[in-house]
Amino acid sequence: MAKQSLARFRAVARSKGYRPGEKPRGRSPLSAAERDAPGVHARDPQTVSSTMSSLFRDRGWVQEISVGGVVGRWRDVVGDQIADHCTPETFADGVLVVRTDSTAWAQQLKMLAPQLVRRMAEDVGEGVVVDVRVLGPAGPGFGKGKRAVRGRGPRDTWG
C-alpha cells in the first residue's frame, strides 16, 4: 500500500513538472549575495527614518515637518538672547509668526527679520520660510474683570 501511494505521488509530481531529486523552484531565484543584501526585497525590514521620510514625502508634509524641527530647536537657531524674549507661534503658507514679550523686542526683531529668514533658509531650505511676521505682546483687554463696563466702555468719554 505504501508503494502504491508513493507511485501515485510520483506520478502527480511528474504531471506538474517536478522531477525526483531536483531542487524546488522558487518564485524569484536570487543568488546568495542578492539574498543577503539589505533592502533588496520589498518585504525586508526598513528603518524607521526611511519609513517616516516616505510617509512625509507622500503626504506633502516635508516643509511643515522641517519648520516644526526649527521651532523645536528655536533656541539653537536664533540664539539664547532672542529666544528669551520671543517665541514662534504659527507657520502657514511660508509665513512664520513670532510673538515677543515687549514692544522694544518686537521692533528689534522686525529689523532682524531678513537675517532670520536667511538663517531659516540655511536650516530648512530655500523658499520654505518666506516671511517672518512679528507680533508685540498681547495686552489685557477691558472686556472682563473688575473694571468691565457695559456698553461702549472706556471709549465712550463724550456725553
Side-chain angles (χ1 to χ4, degrees):
M1 187 145 148
K3 286 183 182 182
Q4 290 174 352
S5 296
L6 182 60
R8 195 176 24 210
F9 284 126
R10 283 183 179 168
V12 170
R14 275 191 215 107
S15 69
K16 290 184 178 180
Y18 299 120
R19 300 286 177 241
E22 283 186 1
K23 291 184 180 179
R25 289 179 275 176
R27 290 185 184 166
S28 61
L30 298 174
S31 68
E34 289 174 330
R35 243 188 343 262
D36 295 338
V40 171
H41 196 271
R43 293 181 61 183
D44 284 347
Q46 303 294 320
T47 61
V48 174
S49 63
S50 67
T51 304
M52 296 303 285
S53 296
S54 65
L55 173 72
F56 297 154
R57 190 176 43 255
D58 294 345
R59 301 284 173 121
W61 295 342
V62 175
Q63 290 183 347
E64 287 83 2
I65 296 296
S66 61
V67 171
V70 168
V71 170
R73 298 180 292 112
W74 182 250
R75 186 168 291 280
D76 298 332
V77 173
V78 297
D80 290 334
Q81 190 176 16
I82 293 174
D84 287 341
H85 297 283
C86 66
T87 56
E89 282 195 347
T90 60
F91 173 74
D93 300 326
V95 178
L96 179 66
V97 178
V98 178
R99 169 98 43 199
T100 61
D101 62 358
S102 70
T103 54
W105 272 102
Q107 188 63 33
Q108 183 71 20
L109 206 59
K110 283 179 184 177
M111 290 188 291
L112 292 174
Q115 294 173 3
L116 193 56
V117 169
R118 213 170 325 130
R119 177 70 176 104
M120 294 289 177
E122 292 171 5
D123 211 80
V124 297
E126 194 69 37
V128 176
V129 177
V130 180
D131 188 25
V132 175
R133 188 163 300 146
V134 181
L135 303 175
F142 292 106
K144 296 180 181 171
K146 60 183 177 180
R147 292 193 172 80
V149 179
R150 286 185 172 205
R152 288 194 39 108
R155 293 169 298 282
D156 188 17
T157 57
W158 301 98

